[in-house]
Every structure is written in structure tokens, then in C-alpha cells.
């Protein structure tokens, strides 16, 4: 479907593209943007996704940049200047950023060739990840008279699709929707108490790379240890691990050095690994949208893959409890917000788009706050567009020269002790350092200089203080970003009716997850398709329900029943009497299969007869 979508964008049509996880959404706006003159503005809600796509584009020699919380004003200023006067083709921004006066003023000077709205389901209150700031995109389009628009998402129900088109004010849109069915992906659900052993059995029976999703950080470590002790190559991943360790573990898994990664849902966004054979959900997800996206990371190479959900009866009770707990009171949200303001010493009216390292456990300890309720309160504050939480933040070291090249040379002559490090910087990273921030590795500098890494960092820090360059040291700690100027806690812009309604949506989504895992009769793939309002009567033939049904059909006396009816049409009572050895349900199932296969039918007198081919 990519070619059709790209063609529609090239024809300047407004486009909504719904492609499943791994369906190649990014290419649908990247290719046409490269054909147009000017810059493509990409609205994306997640820093990790922005960074990943920017790095992927840069690796292919395409100039791209991102603006996100935590960047210095100088860095943002340079990026925006390069969008106006330089050769930047893609600028990635958060939805909160596009409504700021600074971005609006600079965007008005840009030649915006295309606006791409990624994760477009976030604009809908019916969506599972609603972001109020997405509602501001329509004003951005109107203010700057943007004519080419593409919205993209992997999971959207009919209500969400209508919302996207309406809220973005799309004009005569082309809607492209790839089927939510994945013919190579087999869905299975197992209800059992010993989930550890079942997980191990699956991994032993299905060779290849795997992701095991769990809810808690503690579980990631425990299950990875269990797998290693059972002879399975495994490691664990969650947002609380130092960034360089996360990066190493992710790389080892992608390269195949580690077979299984046990992770929270912080893992997987933006990772393009096509040969994942199994995705195992050890705990129940909060919504079928989340499940579909995470399960969809299996089998991107179109080869046979498996998505397995494990659960025990108690998990369903915990799912309902989580949905209830997520609905914290507005008073408690205000209390947590006030605690944040005190913690970071924020004055009223200050701190819009400021970013701070955030030690969650230290924060709740300082203010004596309950752990679970505070976590949900922070997420609700994020849902309201007041803050942004980034648990998996990883920022590499960066630098830019403040002085012109000739002035840097004069500085080298006057400060001979700094000459070697400046020369090595230029040798490694070239002239780009004078026009843009570049990512650096202190370890590479130290190796060439034959100096300890700490000494190199001190030298860069010295040059930073001397205002020769700007040096931003790497950071991998979780961060919290304030998206609007700090307000009085009592005046927080929170819509209580909206929150109550969102609670009902959350509970409904949890109920759908429960229905999915407890169903014993309907094809799993069809259930997911039905959830996303895709009507189909075609079973997948590969899920646990379809396989069980197929095995049952194999044991049914279909030929015997057909031969009995062939003599002459039979009443229901005659069939029950003739096949009394069968349970009534099994006889009914057998008759239904024969009718589905069009081997028998019903006469007007409601007699069963054999159909003549």
C-alpha cells in the first residue's frame, strides 16, 4: 500500500494511512518529502521515536533534526535556523512544541513542504493514548496555510478514524487502511498458573529471537535469570537501567548475541528487527491497541511468527484493579503537581519547556507519597498535557563551536594546552561543528589523545566555561518535562467531566482485553480485526482457537453423518437418535461444519439433505 499512499501525497491530497506495526509508515512521508523542495515537519509524541528516525535518516545521508524537551535554547535556535536557511529536510517536533510562539514564528519563515502527523490516534479522546496537545495541530495547519498533510497510525477504531479526519480538518481525504490481519502471525492465549514453565516450553519449541513483555521492573530481572538458569540466552530491559547498559543490551539482542529480551513496554518503540519469532505477553496489557502494537513486533520479515498471551485467573482481577487505580482524584493530582513544583523550586509562571532529571523513588520518599497512586497521578498530568515523563531518556554528548574557525585558531595559538583536544575534535568531526551540534564520544577522543576519558571531559568542560564551545555531557537518567508555565495547583486546567469519561474508556478497554483472553470460540485474529471495526468472516486458521477447532473437526464423523443423510433427508431427532454416542454439542458442531463446507443443507421442511455438487 506504500506506493499508493506516496502517490496520493505527491498529488497533494490529504491522506490518512493506517498500517499495522512494521507496515512501513515512515517511508510513506519520507519518500514524498524528499521529492518536494522545503522541509517536512513531523509531529511525533515520543522522544525515543524522534531520535531513532533522525538517526536512521542521518545514516542514509539525509539531513534531519528533532526538537524536544531538554535541549538548550541555543541548540533549538540553531536547529530552527538550519530549517530556514540550511538543507534540513525533516524536522521532528512534539505536538506541544508547535504551538509555542518561537516555533510558530520560525515555522512561518520555513518552506514547509509536508506536515506528517505520526501516532495520529493520539488526537482522539477515544484513542488509547490521547494527547490534548494534538488538538492544536489544526490551528497550526490553518495559521501556516499548510496544504500537504498526511496522518499515520498503526491502530485506530472507526471512532478514532472519524476523530482524526474531523480534528485535523482534512479536506476530501484519501483513507488507506491495510487489513489488521497478519497472515504470518499466529495468536494464542493460555490460561494457567505456572506461566514460567509455559514460557520456557514455548521458547524451547520455537527457535529464534523473542521478546517477553512484563509489567514490573522486578519481573524483568527475575524472569531473565530464570531463563538463563534454564539454559536460554536472555537479558532484561527497563527504563531504570543506565542508558549505556540499555543501549548495549538492545544492540546485543538486535544482533542475535542475546536470544530473549525480557522487558517492560519501554522496549520496542522504533526498533526495527524483522526476525522476531515470538512475542510473549507474561502479563495482561491495558488495551487491545497496546497488545496489537507490541505483538506486531513479531514476524516483520513475513515469516511464521507467534504472539502468545499467558494469564492466570488472578491476572484478570488485577487488570480490573489497575483500571480502577488509574482513576486518581483531581485533588491528589493537584497535590502531586504542587510537590513537583516544590521539588524543582518552580516559580508560578515560569519553566515552560524546562526539563529536569527525575528520581521517582527519591521524589515519593521526600514528599511521603504513595507509590502506585503517584505513578498514575503523574500519568494523568501527562495526559492533560501539563508534563511529559520520559523514563527511557538517553542523550549522547554533543557540542558546537561558538567561535568562528579563525577565532578558534587564535585561541589554539594562545592556549597550547587546549590545542591537542581542539585539533582532535576537528579531525574526528569536521567543519559541521561550526554550524550545528554534533554527537561526540569522549572515549574516541581519549583514545586518539592517549589520555584518560575523565581528563578529556574536564578539558571540554573548560572550553565550555571559556565560551569557546558548548559542551553538553551525555545523560541517561529519567527526565520530567514541564510543557506549560507553572500554575497554582488549585488552578490546574483539569476537566473533571473529561477525566470521568476517560475512566469509563479505560475500563471498557480493560473489559475488551478480558473478553479477548477468555474467549474460547472466536478466531483471535478476527477478534482483533473486529475490535478495529474491520468486518471479516474469514478465520485465520492459525490461532489457538482455529487450530483447536481444526483438530476437533478431524475427529468428527463427517463422512458417516453425510452418508446417513444421503439415503434420504433426515429430521433432527433422527440424527440425534442415530448418533447418540456423540454429545449434542458435538453433533451440532459437526452439522455446522458440513453446512459451512456446503456438503449438506436444510430443506423448506427443515430436513437435513445432502447437496448435489
Amino acid at each position: 500500500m506504500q506506493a499508493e499512499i506516496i502517490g496520493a501525497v505527491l498529488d497533494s491530497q490529504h491522506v490518512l494511512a493506517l498500517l499495522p506495526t512494521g507496515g512501513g509508515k515512515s517511508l510513506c512521508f519520507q519518500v514524498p518529502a524528499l521529492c518536494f523542495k522545503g522541509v517536512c515537519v513531523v509531529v511525533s509524541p515520543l522522544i525515543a521515536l524522534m531520535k531513532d528516525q533522525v538517526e536512521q535518516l542521518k545514516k542514509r545521508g539525509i539531513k534531519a533534526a528533532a526538537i524536544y524537551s531538554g535541549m538548550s535554547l541555543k541548540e533549538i535556535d540553531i536547529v530552527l535556523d538550519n530549517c530556514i536557511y540550511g538543507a534540513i529536510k525533516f524536522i521532528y517536533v512534539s505536538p506541544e512544541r508547535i504551538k509555542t510562539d518561537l516555533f510558530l514564528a520560525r515555522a512561518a519563515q520555513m518552506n514547509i513542504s509536508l506536515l506528517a502527523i505520526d501516532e495520529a490516534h493520539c488526537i482522539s479522546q477515544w484513542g488509547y493514548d490521547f494527547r490534548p496537545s494534538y488538538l492544536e495541530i489544526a490551528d497550526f495547519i490553518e495559521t501556516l496555510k499548510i496544504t500537504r498533510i498526511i496522518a499515520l497510525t498503526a491502530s485506530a477504531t472507526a471512532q478514532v478514524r472519524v476523530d482524526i479526519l474531523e480534528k485535523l480538518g482534512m479536506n476530501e481525504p484519501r483513507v488507506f487502511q491495510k487489513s489488521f490481519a497478519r497472515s504470518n502471525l499466529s495468536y494464542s492465549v493460555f490460561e494457567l498458573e505456572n506461566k514460567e514453565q509455559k514460557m520456557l516450553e514455548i521458547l524451547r519449541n520455537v527457535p529464534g529471537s523473542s521478546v517477553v513483555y512484563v509489567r514490573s521492573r522486578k519481573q524483568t530481572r527475575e524472569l531473565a535469570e530464570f531463563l538463563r538458569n534454564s539454559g536460554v540466552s536472555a537479558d532484561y530491559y527497563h527504563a531504570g537501567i543506565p542508558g549505556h547498559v540499555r543501549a548495549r543490551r538492545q544492540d546485543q539482542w538486535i544482533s542475535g548475541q542475546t536470544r530473549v529480551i525480557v522487558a517492560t513496554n519501554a522496549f520496542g518503540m522504533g526498533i526495527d528487527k524483522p526476525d522476531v519469532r515470538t512475542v510473549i505477553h507474561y502479563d495482561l496489557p491495558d488495551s487491545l491497541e497496546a497488545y496489537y502494537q507490541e505483538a506486531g513486533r513479531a514476524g516483520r520479515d513475513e515469516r511464521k511468527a507467534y504472539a502468545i498471551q499467558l494469564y492466570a485467573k488472578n491476572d484478570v482481577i488485577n487488570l480490573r484493579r489497575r483500571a480502577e487505580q488509574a482513576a486518581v482524584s483531581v485533588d491528589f493530582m493537584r497535590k502531586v503537581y504542587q510537590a513537583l513544583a516544590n521539588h524543582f523550586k518552580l516559580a508560578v509562571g515560569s519553566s515552560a519547556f524546562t526539563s529536569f532529571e527525575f528520581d521517582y523513588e527519591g521524589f515519593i520518599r521526600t514528599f511521603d507519597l504513595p507509590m502506585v497512586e503517584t505513578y498514575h497521578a503523574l500519568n494523568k498530568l501527562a495526559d492533560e498535557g501539563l508534563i511529559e515523563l520520559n523514563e527511557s531518556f538517553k542523550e549522547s554528548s554533543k557540542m558546537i563551536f561558538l567561535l568562528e574557525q579563525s577565532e578558534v585558531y587564535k585561541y589554539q595559538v594562545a592556549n597550547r594546552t587546549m590545542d591537542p583536544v581542539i585539533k582532535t575534535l576537528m579531525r574526528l568531526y569536521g567543519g559541521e561543528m561550526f554550524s550545528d551540534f554534533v554527537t561526540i564520544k569522549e572515549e574516541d577522543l581519549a583514545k586518539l589523545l592517549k589520555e584518560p576519558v575523565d581528563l578529556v571531559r574536564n578539558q571540554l568542560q573548560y572550553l565550555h566555561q571559556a565560551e569557546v564551545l558548548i559542551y553538553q555531557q551525555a545523560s541517561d537518567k529519567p527526565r520530567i518535562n514541564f510543557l506549560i508555565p507553572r500554575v497554582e495547583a488549585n488552578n490546574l486546567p483539569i476537566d473533571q467531566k473529561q477525566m470521568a469519561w476517560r475512566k469509563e474508556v479505560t475500563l471498557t478497554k480493560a473489559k475488551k482485553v478480558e473478553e479477548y483472553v477468555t474467549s474460547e470460540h472466536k478466531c483471535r485474529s478476527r477478534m482483533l480485526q473486529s475490535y478495529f471495526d474491520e468486518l471479516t468472516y474469514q478465520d485465520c486458521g492459525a490461532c489457538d482457537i482455529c487450530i483447536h477447532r481444526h483438530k476437533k473437526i478431524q475427529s468428527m464423523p463427517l463422512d458417516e453423518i453425510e452418508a446417513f443423510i444421503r439415503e434420504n433427508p433426515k429430521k433432527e431427532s433422527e440424527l440425534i437418535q442415530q448418533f447418540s454416542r456423540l454429545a449434542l454439542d458435538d453433533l451440532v458442531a459437526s452439522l455446522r461444519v458440513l453446512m459451512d463446507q456446503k456438503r449438506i443443507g436444510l430443506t423448506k421442511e427443515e430436513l437435513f439433505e445432502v447437496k448435489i455438487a
Side-chain angles (χ1 to χ4, degrees):
M1 218 173 259
Q2 287 168 310
E4 297 170 71
I5 294 167
I6 290 166
V9 176
L10 289 171
D11 288 339
S12 298
Q13 295 175 307
H14 287 184
V15 172
L16 171 59
L18 296 105
L19 298 176
T21 301
K25 292 184 293 296
S26 302
L27 212 65
C28 295
F29 64 83
Q30 289 171 348
V31 169
L34 290 171
C35 299
F36 298 135
K37 287 183 180 178
V39 62
C40 173
V41 176
V42 186
V43 179
S44 179
L46 295 167
I47 292 175
L49 281 177
M50 289 189 207
K51 287 184 174 183
D52 179 73
Q53 291 206 11
V54 167
E55 287 306 310
Q56 292 299 326
L57 288 164
K58 283 181 173 178
K59 282 178 185 175
R60 289 159 175 78
I62 298 163
K63 287 194 173 290
I67 295 176
Y68 46 84
S69 301
M71 291 171 67
S72 67
L73 282 174
K74 177 69 175 175
E75 192 174 359
I76 292 169
D77 200 47
I78 289 167
V79 168
L80 291 173
D81 267 357
N82 284 338
C83 289
I84 297 168
Y85 306 112
I88 296 272
K89 288 300 294 182
F90 296 90
I91 174 68
Y92 285 74
V93 293
S94 68
E96 292 82 13
R97 181 71 57 176
I98 63 170
K99 63 182 181 180
T100 61
D101 292 340
L102 173 63
F103 189 81
L104 279 170
R106 296 297 189 87
Q109 300 174 62
M110 297 177 197
N111 174 19
I112 298 177
S113 62
L114 175 65
L115 175 67
I117 301 117
D118 204 5
E119 307 295 331
H121 59 269
C122 293
I123 204 169
S124 173
Q125 296 175 16
W126 291 98
Y128 74 103
D129 197 16
F130 173 55
R131 292 275 288 261
S133 50
Y134 263 71
L135 297 170
E136 308 281 347
I137 297 173
D139 289 338
F140 180 74
I141 294 168
E142 178 61 30
T143 302
L144 297 180
K145 308 299 180 195
I146 297 170
T147 54
R148 297 191 188 104
I149 305 164
I150 177 171
L152 309 105
T153 182
S155 51
T157 63
Q159 284 174 315
V160 173
R161 293 197 291 273
V162 169
D163 253 7
I164 293 170
L165 298 175
E166 187 182 292
K167 298 287 194 304
L168 290 175
M170 286 187 152
N171 183 31
E172 297 181 5
R174 292 282 307 279
V175 179
F176 296 88
Q177 182 178 336
K178 193 172 180 179
S179 172
F180 287 97
R182 292 277 305 277
S183 59
N184 67 310
L185 189 56
S186 169
Y187 296 98
S188 293
V189 176
F190 296 99
E191 182 197 349
L192 67 175
E193 292 305 319
N194 193 339
K195 294 193 284 186
E196 280 187 352
Q197 287 302 323
K198 188 64 181 179
M199 171 185 66
L200 185 59
E201 178 192 322
I202 291 163
L203 292 171
R204 283 175 172 166
N205 288 338
V206 184
S209 186
S210 180
V211 185
V212 178
Y213 280 113
V214 297
R215 292 200 65 85
S216 77
R217 294 178 179 185
K218 183 182 176 186
Q219 276 181 301
T220 64
R221 185 177 63 254
E222 290 174 348
L223 287 183
E225 190 176 334
F226 166 76
L227 289 172
R228 284 196 295 267
N229 291 339
S230 303
V232 177
S233 167
D235 213 331
Y236 65 96
Y237 182 108
H238 60 72
I241 297 169
H244 68 281
V245 178
R246 288 201 309 269
R248 186 182 72 244
R249 290 179 183 178
Q250 179 176 300
D251 290 343
Q252 288 173 339
W253 177 75
I254 288 172
S255 66
Q257 294 174 63
T258 302
R259 184 190 162 201
V260 180
I261 196 88
V262 185
T264 60
N265 62 6
F267 182 80
M269 280 289 186
I271 294 173
D272 185 17
K273 182 171 169 61
D275 60 344
V276 179
R277 298 274 65 85
T278 56
V279 170
I280 301 171
H281 279 76
Y282 198 84
D283 297 307
L284 293 178
D286 292 327
S287 70
L288 286 180
E289 289 98 333
Y291 179 74
Y292 180 78
Q293 286 216 0
E294 289 160 11
R297 290 171 187 146
R300 290 187 179 190
D301 55 5
E302 299 299 325
R303 290 174 54 210
K304 189 70 176 175
Y306 301 87
I308 301 112
Q309 176 68 64
L310 307 178
Y311 83 103
K313 276 189 169 63
N314 201 46
D315 291 339
V316 175
I317 297 167
N318 289 335
L319 174 66
R320 294 176 199 150
R321 186 183 298 131
R322 283 204 313 268
E324 288 286 352
Q325 281 181 329
V328 292
S329 71
V330 172
D331 284 343
F332 187 70
M333 287 172 65
R334 289 186 175 127
K335 181 180 179 180
V336 172
Y337 184 84
Q338 183 63 54
L340 287 172
N342 295 343
H343 190 59
F344 296 111
K345 299 178 173 59
L346 307 181
V348 172
S350 71
S351 306
F353 287 103
T354 51
S355 178
F356 302 93
E357 288 183 355
F358 186 50
D359 175 7
Y360 177 66
E361 290 181 6
F363 171 69
I364 61 172
R365 203 164 45 244
T366 300
F367 293 92
D368 193 24
L369 294 166
M371 180 175 280
V372 175
E373 289 85 346
T374 304
Y375 174 79
H376 289 303
L378 289 169
N379 278 297
K380 290 297 178 190
L381 290 169
D383 288 345
E384 293 295 314
L386 303 170
I387 63 170
E388 179 183 48
L389 294 168
N390 199 332
E391 291 189 276
S392 54
F393 188 84
K394 183 179 182 297
E395 186 70 273
S396 302
S397 293
K398 289 187 288 189
M399 63 144 290
I400 184 173
F401 277 113
L402 289 173
L403 302 178
E404 297 291 333
Q405 201 156 352
S406 57
E407 293 298 316
V408 171
Y409 176 71
K410 289 178 188 176
Y411 183 87
Q412 287 174 265
V413 172
N415 299 268
R416 293 199 175 276
T417 55
M418 292 293 111
D419 181 56
V421 71
I422 292 173
K423 274 184 178 171
T424 308
L425 279 169
M426 290 182 175
R427 177 181 161 192
L428 273 177
Y429 304 109
E432 191 182 348
M433 292 183 300
F434 290 93
S435 60
D436 201 357
F437 276 84
V438 294
T439 299
I440 65 167
K441 288 186 177 178
E442 293 89 335
E443 292 81 2
D444 292 348
L445 282 166
K447 197 172 180 182
L448 285 172
L449 289 163
K450 296 180 180 174
E451 299 280 5
V453 174
D454 286 344
L455 177 62
V456 170
R457 288 196 180 102
N458 289 339
Q459 289 176 322
L460 292 172
Q461 206 63 255
Y462 180 85
L463 291 168
H464 176 87
Q465 288 164 2
E467 297 186 348
V468 174
L469 51 78
I470 294 176
Y471 169 53
Q472 295 176 1
Q473 201 166 328
S475 171
D476 58 17
K477 293 180 180 176
R479 300 188 80 84
I480 188 165
N481 310 314
F482 290 82
L483 302 177
I484 66 168
R486 190 235 150 155
V487 297
E488 291 281 5
N490 287 335
N491 296 329
L492 277 181
I494 298 172
D495 186 333
Q496 296 198 41
K497 285 184 180 178
Q498 175 70 18
M499 279 189 61
W501 183 79
R502 288 291 299 169
K503 176 185 176 181
E504 290 305 313
V505 171
T506 301
L507 290 168
T508 300
K509 289 182 183 298
K511 183 68 178 171
K512 291 294 182 183
V513 172
E514 184 181 340
E515 288 173 9
Y516 174 79
V517 298
T518 56
S519 174
E520 296 178 354
H521 304 292
K522 191 170 181 181
C523 165
R524 304 279 181 206
S525 185
R526 275 182 66 187
M527 286 185 76
L528 289 170
Q529 288 172 269
S530 174
Y531 180 77
F532 292 114
D533 302 293
E534 181 183 335
L535 184 63
T536 178
Y537 298 101
Q538 184 70 45
D539 287 345
C540 72
C543 71
D544 60 326
I545 299 288
C546 287
I547 290 170
H548 176 73
R549 187 186 298 132
H550 180 71
K551 286 179 179 175
K552 195 167 183 179
I553 288 171
Q554 295 292 315
S555 65
M556 290 177 179
L558 301 182
D559 292 341
E560 188 182 345
I561 293 171
E562 183 183 5
F564 179 63
I565 295 172
R566 186 176 296 280
E567 298 169 15
N568 55 283
K570 297 290 192 296
K571 295 177 183 177
E572 185 182 284
S573 57
E574 292 177 285
L575 287 164
I576 292 170
Q577 184 177 352
Q578 177 67 21
F579 296 97
S580 57
R581 71 179 189 276
L582 297 177
L584 184 58
D585 284 350
D586 290 342
L587 175 59
V588 171
S590 300
L591 292 169
R592 186 177 290 124
V593 169
L594 287 167
M595 293 179 78
D596 287 344
Q597 293 176 355
K598 296 185 167 44
R599 290 164 66 179
I600 66 171
L602 277 172
T603 67
K604 289 180 182 177
E605 295 79 23
E606 295 195 356
L607 297 174
F608 289 94
E609 66 174 356
V610 171
K611 287 195 170 184
I612 299 170

